[in-house]
Amino acid sequence: MPRFPDLSPDRMTEAQTRVAEAIKSGPRGGIRGPFAVLLRSPELADRVQKLGEHLRFQSSLPARLNEFAIIINARFWESKYEWFAHRPLAVQAGLADAIADAVARGQRPEGMKEDEALIYDFCTTLHRRHFVDDALFERARSVLGDQGVVDLIGVSGYYTLVSMVLNVAEIPLPAGTPPPW
């Protein structure tokens, strides 16, 4: 029995229906992953989906780097569903399979481009140490600019929330999908 069974449209409140329609009509095209759970708190779900829409589809970060940050976060939080959803997007956006595979194994990838190494260092440092030192901050600023640094922090925080929701709700991988680790 799932911790949060899907809500059928006929059992949704007016607020849940409004938010569900907003999610379905946006770039996601449907309610997947954390959103069926988040609908239990419709105002939170609405705000979270709007933030996620910005960070995923309108970030100043190139898709390759944005998706790389997302899978680093997924691995840190051991969010298998998040990994399942975003690893293919990272590779589609130009991240090498070998880099994603190393992250899945919990290893620092070899052969990263300079901007990928920055994303890896920034995200892993932020997750593990809860801050970044001046040198890493200035390195990030020089490569990404101020907006890019803020967007990277935002994507890390947003996908931490998403990973927590997915993990607490125990959202399973689709049938037949092997676990990534």
mmCIF file of all heavy atoms in Angstrom, residues 68 71 75 83 86-88 90-91 95-107 109 181:
data_model
loop_
_atom_site.group_PDB
_atom_site.id
_atom_site.type_symbol
_atom_site.label_atom_id
_atom_site.label_comp_id
_atom_site.label_asym_id
_atom_site.label_seq_id
_atom_site.Cartn_x
_atom_site.Cartn_y
_atom_site.Cartn_z
ATOM 1 N N PHE A 68 22.920 18.002 -14.526
ATOM 2 C CA PHE A 68 24.024 17.411 -13.773
ATOM 3 C C PHE A 68 23.861 17.716 -12.284
ATOM 4 O O PHE A 68 23.978 16.828 -11.432
ATOM 5 C CB PHE A 68 25.361 17.934 -14.302
ATOM 6 C CG PHE A 68 26.581 17.259 -13.738
ATOM 7 C CD1 PHE A 68 26.580 15.929 -13.325
ATOM 8 C CD2 PHE A 68 27.775 17.963 -13.636
ATOM 9 C CE1 PHE A 68 27.723 15.318 -12.830
ATOM 10 C CE2 PHE A 68 28.921 17.363 -13.139
ATOM 11 C CZ PHE A 68 28.895 16.041 -12.730
ATOM 12 N N ILE A 71 21.136 15.446 -10.842
ATOM 13 C CA ILE A 71 21.494 14.045 -10.553
ATOM 14 C C ILE A 71 22.516 13.940 -9.421
ATOM 15 O O ILE A 71 22.528 12.944 -8.705
ATOM 16 C CB ILE A 71 21.909 13.240 -11.806
ATOM 17 C CG1 ILE A 71 23.202 13.749 -12.422
ATOM 18 C CG2 ILE A 71 20.763 13.192 -12.810
ATOM 19 C CD1 ILE A 71 23.785 12.841 -13.500
ATOM 20 N N ARG A 75 21.648 11.642 -6.210
ATOM 21 C CA ARG A 75 22.564 10.645 -5.639
ATOM 22 C C ARG A 75 22.839 10.935 -4.173
ATOM 23 O O ARG A 75 22.861 10.032 -3.343
ATOM 24 C CB ARG A 75 23.880 10.596 -6.439
ATOM 25 C CG ARG A 75 24.825 9.514 -5.942
ATOM 26 C CD ARG A 75 24.172 8.138 -6.121
ATOM 27 N NE ARG A 75 24.994 7.067 -5.627
ATOM 28 C CZ ARG A 75 24.794 6.428 -4.470
ATOM 29 N NH1 ARG A 75 23.816 6.780 -3.666
ATOM 30 N NH2 ARG A 75 25.576 5.434 -4.126
ATOM 31 N N TRP A 83 16.665 10.171 -9.736
ATOM 32 C CA TRP A 83 17.722 9.715 -10.644
ATOM 33 C C TRP A 83 17.107 9.162 -11.931
ATOM 34 O O TRP A 83 17.528 9.516 -13.033
ATOM 35 C CB TRP A 83 18.575 8.651 -9.955
ATOM 36 C CG TRP A 83 19.704 8.204 -10.828
ATOM 37 C CD1 TRP A 83 19.686 7.171 -11.720
ATOM 38 C CD2 TRP A 83 20.989 8.792 -10.911
ATOM 39 N NE1 TRP A 83 20.890 7.075 -12.353
ATOM 40 C CE2 TRP A 83 21.713 8.064 -11.864
ATOM 41 C CE3 TRP A 83 21.610 9.864 -10.258
ATOM 42 C CZ2 TRP A 83 23.032 8.376 -12.200
ATOM 43 C CZ3 TRP A 83 22.922 10.161 -10.587
ATOM 44 C CH2 TRP A 83 23.613 9.427 -11.549
ATOM 45 N N HIS A 86 15.830 12.033 -14.123
ATOM 46 C CA HIS A 86 16.734 13.072 -14.640
ATOM 47 C C HIS A 86 18.033 12.578 -15.258
ATOM 48 O O HIS A 86 18.642 13.327 -16.031
ATOM 49 C CB HIS A 86 17.009 14.105 -13.542
ATOM 50 C CG HIS A 86 15.837 14.993 -13.325
ATOM 51 N ND1 HIS A 86 15.612 16.124 -14.085
ATOM 52 C CD2 HIS A 86 14.790 14.891 -12.479
ATOM 53 C CE1 HIS A 86 14.495 16.690 -13.700
ATOM 54 N NE2 HIS A 86 13.961 15.950 -12.731
ATOM 55 N N ARG A 87 18.448 11.353 -14.987
ATOM 56 C CA ARG A 87 19.673 10.884 -15.642
ATOM 57 C C ARG A 87 19.534 10.913 -17.165
ATOM 58 O O ARG A 87 20.420 11.422 -17.848
ATOM 59 C CB ARG A 87 20.056 9.480 -15.179
ATOM 60 C CG ARG A 87 21.404 9.042 -15.764
ATOM 61 C CD ARG A 87 21.568 7.529 -15.799
ATOM 62 N NE ARG A 87 22.913 7.135 -16.159
ATOM 63 C CZ ARG A 87 23.359 7.059 -17.413
ATOM 64 N NH1 ARG A 87 22.577 7.369 -18.435
ATOM 65 N NH2 ARG A 87 24.603 6.698 -17.670
ATOM 66 N N PRO A 88 18.439 10.410 -17.732
ATOM 67 C CA PRO A 88 18.313 10.477 -19.198
ATOM 68 C C PRO A 88 18.305 11.919 -19.718
ATOM 69 O O PRO A 88 18.843 12.197 -20.796
ATOM 70 C CB PRO A 88 16.975 9.794 -19.488
ATOM 71 C CG PRO A 88 16.660 8.998 -18.279
ATOM 72 C CD PRO A 88 17.316 9.689 -17.129
ATOM 73 N N ALA A 90 19.908 14.439 -18.375
ATOM 74 C CA ALA A 90 21.285 14.938 -18.304
ATOM 75 C C ALA A 90 22.090 14.453 -19.512
ATOM 76 O O ALA A 90 22.816 15.233 -20.142
ATOM 77 C CB ALA A 90 21.942 14.482 -17.000
ATOM 78 N N VAL A 91 21.945 13.185 -19.849
ATOM 79 C CA VAL A 91 22.673 12.629 -20.995
ATOM 80 C C VAL A 91 22.156 13.251 -22.302
ATOM 81 O O VAL A 91 22.940 13.617 -23.176
ATOM 82 C CB VAL A 91 22.589 11.089 -20.997
ATOM 83 C CG1 VAL A 91 23.152 10.497 -22.274
ATOM 84 C CG2 VAL A 91 23.314 10.529 -19.765
ATOM 85 N N LEU A 95 25.594 15.547 -21.152
ATOM 86 C CA LEU A 95 26.471 14.997 -20.133
ATOM 87 C C LEU A 95 26.887 13.589 -20.551
ATOM 88 O O LEU A 95 26.044 12.788 -20.972
ATOM 89 C CB LEU A 95 25.759 14.953 -18.775
ATOM 90 C CG LEU A 95 26.637 14.597 -17.582
ATOM 91 C CD1 LEU A 95 27.587 15.748 -17.254
ATOM 92 C CD2 LEU A 95 25.780 14.263 -16.368
ATOM 93 N N ALA A 96 28.153 13.281 -20.442
ATOM 94 C CA ALA A 96 28.651 11.958 -20.836
ATOM 95 C C ALA A 96 28.091 10.876 -19.912
ATOM 96 O O ALA A 96 27.990 11.072 -18.700
ATOM 97 C CB ALA A 96 30.173 11.942 -20.801
ATOM 98 N N ASP A 97 27.745 9.740 -20.500
ATOM 99 C CA ASP A 97 27.271 8.590 -19.722
ATOM 100 C C ASP A 97 28.246 8.232 -18.606
ATOM 101 O O ASP A 97 27.830 7.918 -17.491
ATOM 102 C CB ASP A 97 27.099 7.356 -20.622
ATOM 103 C CG ASP A 97 25.809 7.368 -21.412
ATOM 104 O OD1 ASP A 97 24.748 7.589 -20.815
ATOM 105 O OD2 ASP A 97 25.880 7.138 -22.631
ATOM 106 N N ALA A 98 29.542 8.261 -18.915
ATOM 107 C CA ALA A 98 30.559 7.872 -17.933
ATOM 108 C C ALA A 98 30.528 8.789 -16.708
ATOM 109 O O ALA A 98 30.782 8.333 -15.587
ATOM 110 C CB ALA A 98 31.948 7.891 -18.571
ATOM 111 N N ILE A 99 30.208 10.047 -16.913
ATOM 112 C CA ILE A 99 30.138 10.983 -15.785
ATOM 113 C C ILE A 99 28.934 10.639 -14.914
ATOM 114 O O ILE A 99 29.044 10.546 -13.688
ATOM 115 C CB ILE A 99 30.102 12.438 -16.288
ATOM 116 C CG1 ILE A 99 31.462 12.784 -16.896
ATOM 117 C CG2 ILE A 99 29.723 13.399 -15.170
ATOM 118 C CD1 ILE A 99 31.524 14.136 -17.586
ATOM 119 N N ALA A 100 27.787 10.418 -15.539
ATOM 120 C CA ALA A 100 26.596 10.031 -14.773
ATOM 121 C C ALA A 100 26.825 8.701 -14.061
ATOM 122 O O ALA A 100 26.441 8.551 -12.890
ATOM 123 C CB ALA A 100 25.381 9.942 -15.694
ATOM 124 N N ASP A 101 27.469 7.753 -14.719
ATOM 125 C CA ASP A 101 27.726 6.447 -14.102
ATOM 126 C C ASP A 101 28.618 6.572 -12.866
ATOM 127 O O ASP A 101 28.388 5.897 -11.864
ATOM 128 C CB ASP A 101 28.357 5.489 -15.116
ATOM 129 C CG ASP A 101 27.407 5.099 -16.242
ATOM 130 O OD1 ASP A 101 26.177 5.322 -16.106
ATOM 131 O OD2 ASP A 101 27.900 4.592 -17.268
ATOM 132 N N ALA A 102 29.630 7.434 -12.941
ATOM 133 C CA ALA A 102 30.515 7.637 -11.790
ATOM 134 C C ALA A 102 29.739 8.240 -10.615
ATOM 135 O O ALA A 102 29.908 7.817 -9.470
ATOM 136 C CB ALA A 102 31.695 8.530 -12.173
ATOM 137 N N VAL A 103 28.881 9.200 -10.910
ATOM 138 C CA VAL A 103 28.064 9.794 -9.843
ATOM 139 C C VAL A 103 27.185 8.715 -9.217
ATOM 140 O O VAL A 103 27.056 8.642 -7.996
ATOM 141 C CB VAL A 103 27.233 10.982 -10.373
ATOM 142 C CG1 VAL A 103 26.221 11.470 -9.333
ATOM 143 C CG2 VAL A 103 28.145 12.130 -10.797
ATOM 144 N N ALA A 104 26.593 7.860 -10.034
ATOM 145 C CA ALA A 104 25.753 6.776 -9.505
ATOM 146 C C ALA A 104 26.548 5.869 -8.571
ATOM 147 O O ALA A 104 26.012 5.376 -7.580
ATOM 148 C CB ALA A 104 25.147 5.958 -10.642
ATOM 149 N N ARG A 105 27.826 5.662 -8.876
ATOM 150 C CA ARG A 105 28.678 4.815 -8.027
ATOM 151 C C ARG A 105 29.196 5.576 -6.800
ATOM 152 O O ARG A 105 29.906 5.008 -5.976
ATOM 153 C CB ARG A 105 29.873 4.286 -8.830
ATOM 154 C CG ARG A 105 29.515 3.270 -9.893
ATOM 155 C CD ARG A 105 30.759 2.624 -10.507
ATOM 156 N NE ARG A 105 31.707 3.576 -11.068
ATOM 157 C CZ ARG A 105 31.680 4.041 -12.324
ATOM 158 N NH1 ARG A 105 30.748 3.637 -13.168
ATOM 159 N NH2 ARG A 105 32.594 4.899 -12.737
ATOM 160 N N GLY A 106 28.885 6.852 -6.708
ATOM 161 C CA GLY A 106 29.360 7.660 -5.581
ATOM 162 C C GLY A 106 30.801 8.095 -5.734
ATOM 163 O O GLY A 106 31.473 8.392 -4.750
ATOM 164 N N GLN A 107 31.276 8.173 -6.982
ATOM 165 C CA GLN A 107 32.665 8.540 -7.254
ATOM 166 C C GLN A 107 32.743 9.894 -7.950
ATOM 167 O O GLN A 107 31.813 10.286 -8.660
ATOM 168 C CB GLN A 107 33.315 7.497 -8.166
ATOM 169 C CG GLN A 107 33.354 6.117 -7.576
ATOM 170 C CD GLN A 107 33.797 5.074 -8.597
ATOM 171 O OE1 GLN A 107 33.765 5.297 -9.801
ATOM 172 N NE2 GLN A 107 34.196 3.918 -8.095
ATOM 173 N N PRO A 109 33.637 11.898 -10.917
ATOM 174 C CA PRO A 109 33.862 11.504 -12.313
ATOM 175 C C PRO A 109 35.200 11.997 -12.852
ATOM 176 O O PRO A 109 35.674 13.075 -12.488
ATOM 177 C CB PRO A 109 32.715 12.190 -13.066
ATOM 178 C CG PRO A 109 31.697 12.506 -12.031
ATOM 179 C CD PRO A 109 32.456 12.741 -10.765
ATOM 180 N N TRP A 181 21.571 2.101 -7.901
ATOM 181 C CA TRP A 181 22.671 1.782 -6.977
ATOM 182 C C TRP A 181 22.186 0.795 -5.954
ATOM 183 O O TRP A 181 21.039 0.509 -5.825
ATOM 184 C CB TRP A 181 23.257 3.024 -6.282
ATOM 185 C CG TRP A 181 22.223 3.958 -5.741
ATOM 186 C CD1 TRP A 181 21.508 3.812 -4.599
ATOM 187 C CD2 TRP A 181 21.771 5.170 -6.350
ATOM 188 N NE1 TRP A 181 20.647 4.871 -4.461
ATOM 189 C CE2 TRP A 181 20.786 5.723 -5.504
ATOM 190 C CE3 TRP A 181 22.093 5.852 -7.518
ATOM 191 C CZ2 TRP A 181 20.118 6.916 -5.795
ATOM 192 C CZ3 TRP A 181 21.433 7.027 -7.802
ATOM 193 C CH2 TRP A 181 20.464 7.544 -6.944
#
